[in-house]
Structure formats: structure tokens, C-alpha cells
Amino acid sequence: MDTLTRMRAFIDVVEAEGFSAAARKIGRSKALLSKYVRELEDELGALLLNRTTRQFSLTEAGHTYYSRASEIVREVDSLADAVRESSGDVRGRIKLSAARTFADAPIGQSLIDFAKQHPDIVLDIHLDDRFVDLVEEGFDLAVRISRLENSSLIARRLGPFSIKLCASQELIAKHGKPTRPQDLANLPCIVDTNGRSLANWRFRGDGEESVSVNVSGPIEVNSPMAARAAAVSGLGFTILPDFIAAPDLASGLLVSLLDDRIQSGSGIFAVYPHRRYLPAKVRVFVDFLVQWFKNRESA
């Protein structure tokens, strides 16, 4: 049995957080995976995993080995992808991190459309509203909706992104329309706790400086989709990503307010680590997303 096979088994077990879960995910027996990991530990002369009936954890040596082994396996796979690409054969698994907001919104259709067009590529999608460490956690890439601050990542812009201050006609009739950001401090607001600013909303000021307004209201929720539903029901003013608010703004269920005071967004990006060989499957996926968003903007 070669070291690379044992290495892959170890990585599968770590990423699935257990032998049983890994066995179900990759279609191999728990006993076989346990055998591979035990052989790897014997080969290295070090314990990589702490195994008990109730707990699963990496040893210090296991953490070190997982980090480097993941990089090595990705490089091997990327090199194989490069060779396959030259023969027109692109296949494999893409481990993708994306926010729930992205997948739940209409733009999440881009992932489904890609899967339909590329049946030989498996999209392993992990939805999480935190920023994952792509290298440490073994992701091929992530879709992020924000300003990018990590220069260690390569980024390709997929499309624009902005936010909207929204409310229902019913709410505006009851409380009046705010004429300046500061008015929101005395109005019912729905806070999306996924946002970095939380209940401290920032707007453009009269000059170069921004204006910060502390808001409160009947609902605080870590979901822009739930915040949208609450706003449509007339519970409060809220800030939404434009791609979530757009259908309700178009239908008149929501109204956009203080547009001249909204700070500009940055964009929607596909980000991935610097690598010597970019896997062909990742390149194909990113190229598809770029074109999908371009078609959406021109539609």
C-alpha cells in the first residue's frame, strides 16, 4: 500500500471528523480506513489521531501532518488535472466554501447551472457565514461577498455588490420616510447580525466622512433572507444585499431609501490560494462563474 493512499485516507477521516462519516462519504469501509491510518502512523512512528468511543481529535503531530499532507495531495491532484486538461478530460471534486446568503439567493442558481453542465465534476459545497481558512481547512476556493483584505489569496471578481436600505410601504405610511441616516435611530429596524457592523449602520456623510447610526428594533437575526421577510411584513427598516432585495423592490413589496447615502459595496469574488498548479477543474469553475455573472448583468 503506497503512502499517498494512506495519506488520502487520513485526510478524509480528518475532514469528515471521524472514521464512520468518512467511510460513508467516500464509499469505503470504516475498517479499511482505520487500517490505512494505523499503517500511516506505524510508518511515521507517531500517533496522529486520539481515538476514543466518544471523542475524535488530532494530536499535535496530527495537526502538523494534516496541514502539510493536504498541500501535497492538492499539488498532486492539481498536476494530474493539468495533464487531464491537455487531453480535454476535466473531472474530480471541488470543495467550495460559500455564505448561506449566496446559495439561498437567486445567484445561487449559478452553482446548480455549473453542476448541470459539468456532470464529471462533483461540487462539495459547504455553506458557512464565517470566513474559512482555505488552506488550513482544505478548500479549493470560496465565494465571498465583501471587501477583500487577505492578500495571500488570489481573487477574481464575479460581479458587483451593493446594499439597500429597505422598508415596506405599510411601514413608511406608519412611521414616515427617513430623510437622513440619523432618523433611523428612532425608527424600528431589523438587524442582520451576519453583517460586520451589526446594529451600528454606516452611511455616507455630507462630506468625505461616514455617519454611524445605532439602530434597534423587534428582530435581530443572522439571516438576510429572514430580515427580508420581516421587512416585507412591515416590522422594520433593514439593510439587505442588492441581489436579495431586487425581486421585492421590482414588485413594490419593498421600497429603497436613502440611496444617495448608501456606502458602495465591493463585489462578489471567487478566491483561492496561491498554488503552483491551479487545478483545471477550479479554473473551469471560476471561468463559468465569471461568464454566468456577466450574462446576468447583460440580461
Side-chain angles (χ1 to χ4, degrees), residues 145 160-168 178 184 189-192 201-204 224 227-228 231 236-250 254-266 296:
I145 308 168
F161 165 67
S162 62
I163 58 174
K164 298 287 186 181
L165 174 66
C166 303
S168 67
L184 292 166
C189 294
I190 301 158
V191 177
D192 176 9
W201 293 355
R202 302 188 71 84
F203 298 86
R204 287 178 180 169
R228 172 211 150 268
F237 298 84
T238 195
I239 286 180
L240 297 172
D242 58 346
F243 54 81
I244 287 181
D248 293 321
L249 293 175
L254 291 177
V255 176
S256 178
L257 305 161
L258 298 179
D259 290 339
D260 60 334
R261 293 300 188 97
I262 299 297
Q263 293 185 320
S264 60
S266 52
R296 177 174 176 267

mmCIF file of all heavy atoms in Angstrom, residues 145 160-168 178 184 189-192 201-204 224 227-228 231 236-250 254-266 296:
data_model
loop_
_atom_site.group_PDB
_atom_site.id
_atom_site.type_symbol
_atom_site.label_atom_id
_atom_site.label_comp_id
_atom_site.label_asym_id
_atom_site.label_seq_id
_atom_site.Cartn_x
_atom_site.Cartn_y
_atom_site.Cartn_z
ATOM 1 N N ILE A 145 -18.542 37.631 -0.464
ATOM 2 C CA ILE A 145 -19.273 38.862 -0.766
ATOM 3 C C ILE A 145 -18.811 39.907 0.227
ATOM 4 O O ILE A 145 -19.345 40.006 1.328
ATOM 5 C CB ILE A 145 -20.800 38.635 -0.646
ATOM 6 C CG1 ILE A 145 -21.225 37.417 -1.467
ATOM 7 C CG2 ILE A 145 -21.557 39.873 -1.072
ATOM 8 C CD1 ILE A 145 -22.622 36.943 -1.193
ATOM 9 N N PRO A 160 -20.729 42.851 -9.290
ATOM 10 C CA PRO A 160 -20.822 43.947 -8.332
ATOM 11 C C PRO A 160 -21.673 43.552 -7.132
ATOM 12 O O PRO A 160 -22.430 42.584 -7.171
ATOM 13 C CB PRO A 160 -21.498 45.059 -9.139
ATOM 14 C CG PRO A 160 -22.338 44.311 -10.129
ATOM 15 C CD PRO A 160 -21.560 43.072 -10.479
ATOM 16 N N PHE A 161 -21.533 44.325 -6.082
ATOM 17 C CA PHE A 161 -22.323 44.086 -4.878
ATOM 18 C C PHE A 161 -22.591 45.424 -4.203
ATOM 19 O O PHE A 161 -21.687 46.250 -4.051
ATOM 20 C CB PHE A 161 -21.582 43.157 -3.922
ATOM 21 C CG PHE A 161 -22.153 43.150 -2.525
ATOM 22 C CD1 PHE A 161 -23.417 42.641 -2.292
ATOM 23 C CD2 PHE A 161 -21.433 43.655 -1.455
ATOM 24 C CE1 PHE A 161 -23.959 42.643 -1.016
ATOM 25 C CE2 PHE A 161 -21.959 43.655 -0.178
ATOM 26 C CZ PHE A 161 -23.224 43.146 0.048
ATOM 27 N N SER A 162 -23.827 45.650 -3.815
ATOM 28 C CA SER A 162 -24.164 46.844 -3.054
ATOM 29 C C SER A 162 -25.260 46.479 -2.064
ATOM 30 O O SER A 162 -25.810 45.370 -2.101
ATOM 31 C CB SER A 162 -24.637 47.967 -3.981
ATOM 32 O OG SER A 162 -25.822 47.582 -4.664
ATOM 33 N N ILE A 163 -25.550 47.392 -1.162
ATOM 34 C CA ILE A 163 -26.600 47.158 -0.178
ATOM 35 C C ILE A 163 -27.729 48.172 -0.377
ATOM 36 O O ILE A 163 -27.536 49.218 -1.004
ATOM 37 C CB ILE A 163 -26.069 47.238 1.260
ATOM 38 C CG1 ILE A 163 -25.438 48.609 1.526
ATOM 39 C CG2 ILE A 163 -25.082 46.113 1.530
ATOM 40 C CD1 ILE A 163 -25.033 48.810 2.970
ATOM 41 N N LYS A 164 -28.890 47.834 0.153
ATOM 42 C CA LYS A 164 -30.063 48.687 0.047
ATOM 43 C C LYS A 164 -30.705 48.838 1.423
ATOM 44 O O LYS A 164 -30.857 47.846 2.156
ATOM 45 C CB LYS A 164 -31.098 48.081 -0.918
ATOM 46 C CG LYS A 164 -30.619 47.918 -2.347
ATOM 47 C CD LYS A 164 -30.521 49.250 -3.065
ATOM 48 C CE LYS A 164 -30.183 49.075 -4.534
ATOM 49 N NZ LYS A 164 -30.065 50.385 -5.223
ATOM 50 N N LEU A 165 -31.081 50.067 1.762
ATOM 51 C CA LEU A 165 -31.924 50.299 2.936
ATOM 52 C C LEU A 165 -33.359 50.162 2.468
ATOM 53 O O LEU A 165 -33.801 50.891 1.574
ATOM 54 C CB LEU A 165 -31.677 51.689 3.516
ATOM 55 C CG LEU A 165 -32.612 52.095 4.665
ATOM 56 C CD1 LEU A 165 -32.389 51.217 5.886
ATOM 57 C CD2 LEU A 165 -32.431 53.563 5.013
ATOM 58 N N CYS A 166 -34.099 49.231 3.048
ATOM 59 C CA CYS A 166 -35.427 48.889 2.542
ATOM 60 C C CYS A 166 -36.490 48.942 3.633
ATOM 61 O O CYS A 166 -36.202 48.741 4.820
ATOM 62 C CB CYS A 166 -35.422 47.477 1.951
ATOM 63 S SG CYS A 166 -34.234 47.215 0.632
ATOM 64 N N ALA A 167 -37.708 49.158 3.199
ATOM 65 C CA ALA A 167 -38.871 49.082 4.084
ATOM 66 C C ALA A 167 -40.107 48.868 3.233
ATOM 67 O O ALA A 167 -40.115 49.141 2.028
ATOM 68 C CB ALA A 167 -39.006 50.363 4.905
ATOM 69 N N SER A 168 -41.164 48.397 3.874
ATOM 70 C CA SER A 168 -42.429 48.198 3.166
ATOM 71 C C SER A 168 -43.201 49.516 3.104
ATOM 72 O O SER A 168 -42.978 50.430 3.918
ATOM 73 C CB SER A 168 -43.276 47.148 3.883
ATOM 74 O OG SER A 168 -43.695 47.645 5.145
ATOM 75 N N PRO A 178 -37.532 58.194 6.377
ATOM 76 C CA PRO A 178 -36.355 58.893 6.904
ATOM 77 C C PRO A 178 -35.737 59.783 5.822
ATOM 78 O O PRO A 178 -35.629 59.378 4.664
ATOM 79 C CB PRO A 178 -35.416 57.758 7.306
ATOM 80 C CG PRO A 178 -35.829 56.603 6.460
ATOM 81 C CD PRO A 178 -37.303 56.740 6.278
ATOM 82 N N LEU A 184 -32.989 57.009 11.570
ATOM 83 C CA LEU A 184 -33.196 55.583 11.813
ATOM 84 C C LEU A 184 -33.008 55.210 13.282
ATOM 85 O O LEU A 184 -33.500 54.174 13.731
ATOM 86 C CB LEU A 184 -32.228 54.755 10.954
ATOM 87 C CG LEU A 184 -32.490 54.810 9.443
ATOM 88 C CD1 LEU A 184 -31.292 54.264 8.678
ATOM 89 C CD2 LEU A 184 -33.755 54.036 9.094
ATOM 90 N N CYS A 189 -36.001 48.989 13.452
ATOM 91 C CA CYS A 189 -35.083 48.433 12.444
ATOM 92 C C CYS A 189 -34.881 46.943 12.668
ATOM 93 O O CYS A 189 -34.933 46.453 13.800
ATOM 94 C CB CYS A 189 -33.732 49.150 12.493
ATOM 95 S SG CYS A 189 -33.811 50.889 12.015
ATOM 96 N N ILE A 190 -34.650 46.237 11.587
ATOM 97 C CA ILE A 190 -34.372 44.798 11.621
ATOM 98 C C ILE A 190 -32.882 44.618 11.380
ATOM 99 O O ILE A 190 -32.360 45.032 10.339
ATOM 100 C CB ILE A 190 -35.181 44.058 10.543
ATOM 101 C CG1 ILE A 190 -36.683 44.285 10.775
ATOM 102 C CG2 ILE A 190 -34.862 42.577 10.539
ATOM 103 C CD1 ILE A 190 -37.515 44.065 9.538
ATOM 104 N N VAL A 191 -32.200 44.001 12.327
ATOM 105 C CA VAL A 191 -30.743 43.890 12.270
ATOM 106 C C VAL A 191 -30.331 42.501 11.807
ATOM 107 O O VAL A 191 -30.719 41.490 12.403
ATOM 108 C CB VAL A 191 -30.115 44.183 13.648
ATOM 109 C CG1 VAL A 191 -28.601 43.982 13.601
ATOM 110 C CG2 VAL A 191 -30.459 45.602 14.089
ATOM 111 N N ASP A 192 -29.550 42.451 10.723
ATOM 112 C CA ASP A 192 -28.939 41.198 10.267
ATOM 113 C C ASP A 192 -27.600 41.074 10.979
ATOM 114 O O ASP A 192 -26.660 41.811 10.694
ATOM 115 C CB ASP A 192 -28.751 41.225 8.750
ATOM 116 C CG ASP A 192 -28.035 39.982 8.235
ATOM 117 O OD1 ASP A 192 -27.837 39.032 9.028
ATOM 118 O OD2 ASP A 192 -27.654 39.962 7.060
ATOM 119 N N TRP A 201 -25.072 50.927 11.921
ATOM 120 C CA TRP A 201 -25.118 51.062 10.471
ATOM 121 C C TRP A 201 -24.347 52.302 10.026
ATOM 122 O O TRP A 201 -24.462 53.372 10.625
ATOM 123 C CB TRP A 201 -26.567 51.166 10.000
ATOM 124 C CG TRP A 201 -27.349 49.891 10.204
ATOM 125 C CD1 TRP A 201 -26.879 48.690 10.644
ATOM 126 C CD2 TRP A 201 -28.753 49.713 9.968
ATOM 127 N NE1 TRP A 201 -27.890 47.769 10.698
ATOM 128 C CE2 TRP A 201 -29.053 48.353 10.283
ATOM 129 C CE3 TRP A 201 -29.761 50.537 9.511
ATOM 130 C CZ2 TRP A 201 -30.335 47.830 10.168
ATOM 131 C CZ3 TRP A 201 -31.062 50.022 9.388
ATOM 132 C CH2 TRP A 201 -31.331 48.679 9.712
ATOM 133 N N ARG A 202 -23.594 52.137 8.955
ATOM 134 C CA ARG A 202 -22.761 53.234 8.463
ATOM 135 C C ARG A 202 -23.291 53.739 7.120
ATOM 136 O O ARG A 202 -23.676 52.952 6.255
ATOM 137 C CB ARG A 202 -21.300 52.803 8.334
ATOM 138 C CG ARG A 202 -20.707 52.297 9.641
ATOM 139 C CD ARG A 202 -19.209 52.055 9.531
ATOM 140 N NE ARG A 202 -18.494 53.316 9.436
ATOM 141 C CZ ARG A 202 -18.149 54.058 10.485
ATOM 142 N NH1 ARG A 202 -18.485 53.685 11.698
ATOM 143 N NH2 ARG A 202 -17.489 55.190 10.330
ATOM 144 N N PHE A 203 -23.282 55.060 6.987
ATOM 145 C CA PHE A 203 -23.771 55.710 5.779
ATOM 146 C C PHE A 203 -22.774 56.783 5.346
ATOM 147 O O PHE A 203 -21.880 57.180 6.105
ATOM 148 C CB PHE A 203 -25.132 56.368 6.029
ATOM 149 C CG PHE A 203 -26.227 55.420 6.411
ATOM 150 C CD1 PHE A 203 -26.414 55.052 7.738
ATOM 151 C CD2 PHE A 203 -27.072 54.904 5.451
ATOM 152 C CE1 PHE A 203 -27.423 54.176 8.096
ATOM 153 C CE2 PHE A 203 -28.087 54.029 5.795
ATOM 154 C CZ PHE A 203 -28.267 53.669 7.122
ATOM 155 N N ARG A 204 -22.943 57.266 4.142
ATOM 156 C CA ARG A 204 -22.161 58.405 3.681
ATOM 157 C C ARG A 204 -22.625 59.667 4.404
ATOM 158 O O ARG A 204 -23.820 59.895 4.568
ATOM 159 C CB ARG A 204 -22.344 58.612 2.174
ATOM 160 C CG ARG A 204 -21.649 57.582 1.314
ATOM 161 C CD ARG A 204 -21.929 57.860 -0.150
ATOM 162 N NE ARG A 204 -21.279 56.906 -1.026
ATOM 163 C CZ ARG A 204 -21.517 56.794 -2.317
ATOM 164 N NH1 ARG A 204 -22.423 57.587 -2.883
ATOM 165 N NH2 ARG A 204 -20.879 55.911 -3.047
ATOM 166 N N PRO A 224 -30.028 37.301 6.158
ATOM 167 C CA PRO A 224 -30.631 38.366 5.365
ATOM 168 C C PRO A 224 -31.966 37.949 4.753
ATOM 169 O O PRO A 224 -32.827 38.802 4.506
ATOM 170 C CB PRO A 224 -29.583 38.655 4.285
ATOM 171 C CG PRO A 224 -28.745 37.436 4.228
ATOM 172 C CD PRO A 224 -28.743 36.865 5.605
ATOM 173 N N ALA A 227 -34.387 38.589 7.481
ATOM 174 C CA ALA A 227 -34.534 40.041 7.615
ATOM 175 C C ALA A 227 -35.418 40.583 6.495
ATOM 176 O O ALA A 227 -36.260 41.464 6.716
ATOM 177 C CB ALA A 227 -33.161 40.712 7.594
ATOM 178 N N ARG A 228 -35.247 40.066 5.301
ATOM 179 C CA ARG A 228 -36.075 40.468 4.158
ATOM 180 C C ARG A 228 -37.543 40.148 4.414
ATOM 181 O O ARG A 228 -38.437 40.976 4.172
ATOM 182 C CB ARG A 228 -35.576 39.751 2.899
ATOM 183 C CG ARG A 228 -36.480 39.934 1.690
ATOM 184 C CD ARG A 228 -36.429 38.710 0.784
ATOM 185 N NE ARG A 228 -37.704 38.566 0.106
ATOM 186 C CZ ARG A 228 -38.728 37.842 0.549
ATOM 187 N NH1 ARG A 228 -38.634 37.175 1.684
ATOM 188 N NH2 ARG A 228 -39.860 37.788 -0.127
ATOM 189 N N ALA A 231 -39.001 42.508 6.857
ATOM 190 C CA ALA A 231 -39.218 43.834 6.261
ATOM 191 C C ALA A 231 -40.457 43.832 5.376
ATOM 192 O O ALA A 231 -41.255 44.773 5.415
ATOM 193 C CB ALA A 231 -37.984 44.248 5.459
ATOM 194 N N GLY A 236 -40.018 46.483 10.152
ATOM 195 C CA GLY A 236 -38.977 47.482 10.354
ATOM 196 C C GLY A 236 -38.195 47.786 9.093
ATOM 197 O O GLY A 236 -38.377 47.148 8.049
ATOM 198 N N PHE A 237 -37.323 48.778 9.210
ATOM 199 C CA PHE A 237 -36.373 49.118 8.156
ATOM 200 C C PHE A 237 -35.196 48.149 8.266
ATOM 201 O O PHE A 237 -34.817 47.745 9.366
ATOM 202 C CB PHE A 237 -35.869 50.563 8.338
ATOM 203 C CG PHE A 237 -36.942 51.603 8.236
ATOM 204 C CD1 PHE A 237 -37.731 51.928 9.343
ATOM 205 C CD2 PHE A 237 -37.177 52.265 7.034
ATOM 206 C CE1 PHE A 237 -38.731 52.889 9.251
ATOM 207 C CE2 PHE A 237 -38.181 53.231 6.937
ATOM 208 C CZ PHE A 237 -38.955 53.543 8.042
ATOM 209 N N THR A 238 -34.616 47.788 7.146
ATOM 210 C CA THR A 238 -33.487 46.867 7.193
ATOM 211 C C THR A 238 -32.535 47.126 6.044
ATOM 212 O O THR A 238 -32.896 47.769 5.045
ATOM 213 C CB THR A 238 -33.964 45.401 7.170
ATOM 214 O OG1 THR A 238 -32.886 44.540 7.560
ATOM 215 C CG2 THR A 238 -34.451 44.999 5.778
ATOM 216 N N ILE A 239 -31.329 46.638 6.194
ATOM 217 C CA ILE A 239 -30.311 46.728 5.140
ATOM 218 C C ILE A 239 -30.125 45.336 4.539
ATOM 219 O O ILE A 239 -29.891 44.362 5.263
ATOM 220 C CB ILE A 239 -28.983 47.266 5.704
ATOM 221 C CG1 ILE A 239 -29.119 48.764 5.980
ATOM 222 C CG2 ILE A 239 -27.842 47.012 4.737
ATOM 223 C CD1 ILE A 239 -27.875 49.419 6.548
ATOM 224 N N LEU A 240 -30.242 45.248 3.214
ATOM 225 C CA LEU A 240 -30.171 43.966 2.518
ATOM 226 C C LEU A 240 -29.169 44.027 1.371
ATOM 227 O O LEU A 240 -29.007 45.080 0.738
ATOM 228 C CB LEU A 240 -31.533 43.593 1.941
ATOM 229 C CG LEU A 240 -32.686 43.376 2.922
ATOM 230 C CD1 LEU A 240 -33.990 43.203 2.144
ATOM 231 C CD2 LEU A 240 -32.422 42.164 3.801
ATOM 232 N N PRO A 241 -28.531 42.901 1.048
ATOM 233 C CA PRO A 241 -27.745 42.829 -0.189
ATOM 234 C C PRO A 241 -28.658 43.079 -1.387
ATOM 235 O O PRO A 241 -29.825 42.650 -1.389
ATOM 236 C CB PRO A 241 -27.214 41.391 -0.193
ATOM 237 C CG PRO A 241 -27.271 40.947 1.224
ATOM 238 C CD PRO A 241 -28.463 41.642 1.818
ATOM 239 N N ASP A 242 -28.148 43.769 -2.390
ATOM 240 C CA ASP A 242 -28.995 44.121 -3.536
ATOM 241 C C ASP A 242 -29.577 42.909 -4.237
ATOM 242 O O ASP A 242 -30.717 42.938 -4.711
ATOM 243 C CB ASP A 242 -28.215 44.997 -4.532
ATOM 244 C CG ASP A 242 -26.944 44.323 -5.048
ATOM 245 O OD1 ASP A 242 -26.506 43.311 -4.455
ATOM 246 O OD2 ASP A 242 -26.376 44.822 -6.032
ATOM 247 N N PHE A 243 -28.825 41.797 -4.284
ATOM 248 C CA PHE A 243 -29.321 40.632 -5.019
ATOM 249 C C PHE A 243 -30.436 39.912 -4.264
ATOM 250 O O PHE A 243 -31.146 39.094 -4.838
ATOM 251 C CB PHE A 243 -28.185 39.658 -5.363
ATOM 252 C CG PHE A 243 -27.349 39.217 -4.182
ATOM 253 C CD1 PHE A 243 -27.774 38.225 -3.332
ATOM 254 C CD2 PHE A 243 -26.115 39.803 -3.946
ATOM 255 C CE1 PHE A 243 -27.004 37.807 -2.259
ATOM 256 C CE2 PHE A 243 -25.330 39.404 -2.880
ATOM 257 C CZ PHE A 243 -25.775 38.412 -2.032
ATOM 258 N N ILE A 244 -30.613 40.202 -2.979
ATOM 259 C CA ILE A 244 -31.732 39.642 -2.224
ATOM 260 C C ILE A 244 -32.933 40.579 -2.278
ATOM 261 O O ILE A 244 -34.080 40.154 -2.387
ATOM 262 C CB ILE A 244 -31.308 39.372 -0.765
ATOM 263 C CG1 ILE A 244 -30.375 38.153 -0.717
ATOM 264 C CG2 ILE A 244 -32.522 39.152 0.139
ATOM 265 C CD1 ILE A 244 -29.905 37.783 0.659
ATOM 266 N N ALA A 245 -32.657 41.879 -2.211
ATOM 267 C CA ALA A 245 -33.748 42.858 -2.206
ATOM 268 C C ALA A 245 -34.382 43.056 -3.582
ATOM 269 O O ALA A 245 -35.552 43.447 -3.681
ATOM 270 C CB ALA A 245 -33.229 44.201 -1.691
ATOM 271 N N ALA A 246 -33.634 42.799 -4.657
ATOM 272 C CA ALA A 246 -34.067 43.159 -6.016
ATOM 273 C C ALA A 246 -35.474 42.684 -6.387
ATOM 274 O O ALA A 246 -36.282 43.479 -6.900
ATOM 275 C CB ALA A 246 -33.043 42.654 -7.036
ATOM 276 N N PRO A 247 -35.848 41.420 -6.172
ATOM 277 C CA PRO A 247 -37.195 40.993 -6.583
ATOM 278 C C PRO A 247 -38.302 41.770 -5.869
ATOM 279 O O PRO A 247 -39.316 42.125 -6.493
ATOM 280 C CB PRO A 247 -37.222 39.503 -6.214
ATOM 281 C CG PRO A 247 -35.790 39.089 -6.185
ATOM 282 C CD PRO A 247 -35.045 40.273 -5.674
ATOM 283 N N ASP A 248 -38.133 42.033 -4.575
ATOM 284 C CA ASP A 248 -39.163 42.746 -3.819
ATOM 285 C C ASP A 248 -39.192 44.226 -4.165
ATOM 286 O O ASP A 248 -40.250 44.861 -4.131
ATOM 287 C CB ASP A 248 -38.938 42.564 -2.322
ATOM 288 C CG ASP A 248 -39.146 41.120 -1.884
ATOM 289 O OD1 ASP A 248 -40.083 40.482 -2.400
ATOM 290 O OD2 ASP A 248 -38.359 40.630 -1.057
ATOM 291 N N LEU A 249 -38.055 44.804 -4.504
ATOM 292 C CA LEU A 249 -38.022 46.191 -4.957
ATOM 293 C C LEU A 249 -38.731 46.322 -6.305
ATOM 294 O O LEU A 249 -39.466 47.272 -6.550
ATOM 295 C CB LEU A 249 -36.579 46.691 -5.053
ATOM 296 C CG LEU A 249 -35.820 46.837 -3.732
ATOM 297 C CD1 LEU A 249 -34.362 47.224 -4.000
ATOM 298 C CD2 LEU A 249 -36.477 47.887 -2.843
ATOM 299 N N ALA A 250 -38.510 45.347 -7.175
ATOM 300 C CA ALA A 250 -39.135 45.373 -8.500
ATOM 301 C C ALA A 250 -40.655 45.212 -8.410
ATOM 302 O O ALA A 250 -41.408 45.818 -9.180
ATOM 303 C CB ALA A 250 -38.542 44.278 -9.383
ATOM 304 N N LEU A 254 -41.105 46.100 -1.364
ATOM 305 C CA LEU A 254 -40.171 46.911 -0.581
ATOM 306 C C LEU A 254 -39.837 48.170 -1.361
ATOM 307 O O LEU A 254 -39.896 48.195 -2.595
ATOM 308 C CB LEU A 254 -38.884 46.130 -0.277
ATOM 309 C CG LEU A 254 -38.994 44.946 0.682
ATOM 310 C CD1 LEU A 254 -37.641 44.249 0.809
ATOM 311 C CD2 LEU A 254 -39.495 45.379 2.055
ATOM 312 N N VAL A 255 -39.448 49.213 -0.625
ATOM 313 C CA VAL A 255 -39.024 50.474 -1.210
ATOM 314 C C VAL A 255 -37.599 50.746 -0.785
ATOM 315 O O VAL A 255 -37.220 50.504 0.376
ATOM 316 C CB VAL A 255 -39.940 51.628 -0.732
ATOM 317 C CG1 VAL A 255 -39.443 52.969 -1.268
ATOM 318 C CG2 VAL A 255 -41.370 51.377 -1.167
ATOM 319 N N SER A 256 -36.787 51.231 -1.704
ATOM 320 C CA SER A 256 -35.396 51.574 -1.408
ATOM 321 C C SER A 256 -35.320 53.018 -0.909
ATOM 322 O O SER A 256 -35.929 53.924 -1.494
ATOM 323 C CB SER A 256 -34.540 51.399 -2.664
ATOM 324 O OG SER A 256 -33.205 51.762 -2.406
ATOM 325 N N LEU A 257 -34.562 53.254 0.158
ATOM 326 C CA LEU A 257 -34.494 54.563 0.807
ATOM 327 C C LEU A 257 -33.042 55.046 0.946
ATOM 328 O O LEU A 257 -32.113 54.227 1.013
ATOM 329 C CB LEU A 257 -35.126 54.481 2.208
ATOM 330 C CG LEU A 257 -36.560 53.943 2.259
ATOM 331 C CD1 LEU A 257 -36.900 53.481 3.660
ATOM 332 C CD2 LEU A 257 -37.540 55.003 1.787
ATOM 333 N N LEU A 258 -32.874 56.361 1.016
ATOM 334 C CA LEU A 258 -31.569 56.994 1.251
ATOM 335 C C LEU A 258 -30.484 56.455 0.314
ATOM 336 O O LEU A 258 -29.343 56.223 0.727
ATOM 337 C CB LEU A 258 -31.134 56.796 2.717
ATOM 338 C CG LEU A 258 -32.037 57.407 3.787
ATOM 339 C CD1 LEU A 258 -31.484 57.090 5.189
ATOM 340 C CD2 LEU A 258 -32.166 58.907 3.615
ATOM 341 N N ASP A 259 -30.835 56.252 -0.950
ATOM 342 C CA ASP A 259 -29.884 55.668 -1.897
ATOM 343 C C ASP A 259 -28.609 56.497 -2.024
ATOM 344 O O ASP A 259 -27.522 55.939 -2.230
ATOM 345 C CB ASP A 259 -30.534 55.524 -3.281
ATOM 346 C CG ASP A 259 -31.600 54.438 -3.298
ATOM 347 O OD1 ASP A 259 -31.554 53.558 -2.419
ATOM 348 O OD2 ASP A 259 -32.476 54.475 -4.177
ATOM 349 N N ASP A 260 -28.737 57.826 -1.885
ATOM 350 C CA ASP A 260 -27.559 58.678 -2.030
ATOM 351 C C ASP A 260 -26.654 58.640 -0.807
ATOM 352 O O ASP A 260 -25.553 59.186 -0.819
ATOM 353 C CB ASP A 260 -27.984 60.126 -2.314
ATOM 354 C CG ASP A 260 -28.833 60.719 -1.202
ATOM 355 O OD1 ASP A 260 -29.492 59.928 -0.483
ATOM 356 O OD2 ASP A 260 -28.836 61.951 -1.042
ATOM 357 N N ARG A 261 -27.117 58.006 0.272
ATOM 358 C CA ARG A 261 -26.312 57.914 1.486
ATOM 359 C C ARG A 261 -25.739 56.513 1.723
ATOM 360 O O ARG A 261 -25.039 56.286 2.703
ATOM 361 C CB ARG A 261 -27.158 58.310 2.704
ATOM 362 C CG ARG A 261 -27.563 59.785 2.723
ATOM 363 C CD ARG A 261 -26.335 60.702 2.742
ATOM 364 N NE ARG A 261 -26.703 62.089 2.955
ATOM 365 C CZ ARG A 261 -26.667 62.689 4.141
ATOM 366 N NH1 ARG A 261 -26.293 62.016 5.205
ATOM 367 N NH2 ARG A 261 -27.010 63.956 4.248
ATOM 368 N N ILE A 262 -26.065 55.583 0.837
ATOM 369 C CA ILE A 262 -25.586 54.211 0.999
ATOM 370 C C ILE A 262 -24.135 54.115 0.539
ATOM 371 O O ILE A 262 -23.781 54.551 -0.550
ATOM 372 C CB ILE A 262 -26.449 53.220 0.198
ATOM 373 C CG1 ILE A 262 -27.900 53.253 0.697
ATOM 374 C CG2 ILE A 262 -25.888 51.811 0.290
ATOM 375 C CD1 ILE A 262 -28.072 52.814 2.132
ATOM 376 N N GLN A 263 -23.291 53.513 1.382
ATOM 377 C CA GLN A 263 -21.896 53.315 1.009
ATOM 378 C C GLN A 263 -21.804 52.235 -0.057
ATOM 379 O O GLN A 263 -22.526 51.238 -0.012
ATOM 380 C CB GLN A 263 -21.055 52.928 2.230
ATOM 381 C CG GLN A 263 -20.938 54.043 3.260
ATOM 382 C CD GLN A 263 -20.005 53.675 4.403
ATOM 383 O OE1 GLN A 263 -20.005 52.549 4.871
ATOM 384 N NE2 GLN A 263 -19.225 54.631 4.851
ATOM 385 N N SER A 264 -20.915 52.454 -1.002
ATOM 386 C CA SER A 264 -20.783 51.496 -2.104
ATOM 387 C C SER A 264 -20.219 50.180 -1.605
ATOM 388 O O SER A 264 -19.379 50.143 -0.694
ATOM 389 C CB SER A 264 -19.871 52.063 -3.198
ATOM 390 O OG SER A 264 -18.586 52.330 -2.674
ATOM 391 N N GLY A 265 -20.700 49.102 -2.198
ATOM 392 C CA GLY A 265 -20.175 47.790 -1.849
ATOM 393 C C GLY A 265 -18.890 47.509 -2.603
ATOM 394 O O GLY A 265 -18.340 48.373 -3.286
ATOM 395 N N SER A 266 -18.389 46.342 -2.464
ATOM 396 C CA SER A 266 -17.148 45.986 -3.158
ATOM 397 C C SER A 266 -17.437 45.043 -4.311
ATOM 398 O O SER A 266 -17.389 45.429 -5.467
ATOM 399 C CB SER A 266 -16.162 45.359 -2.175
ATOM 400 O OG SER A 266 -16.782 44.294 -1.479
ATOM 401 N N ARG A 296 -25.738 37.520 -16.598
ATOM 402 C CA ARG A 296 -26.798 38.028 -15.723
ATOM 403 C C ARG A 296 -26.870 39.554 -15.772
ATOM 404 O O ARG A 296 -27.950 40.126 -15.802
ATOM 405 C CB ARG A 296 -26.537 37.559 -14.288
ATOM 406 C CG ARG A 296 -27.521 38.077 -13.247
ATOM 407 C CD ARG A 296 -27.236 37.436 -11.912
ATOM 408 N NE ARG A 296 -28.105 37.979 -10.863
ATOM 409 C CZ ARG A 296 -27.783 38.996 -10.075
ATOM 410 N NH1 ARG A 296 -26.610 39.588 -10.225
ATOM 411 N NH2 ARG A 296 -28.613 39.420 -9.136
#
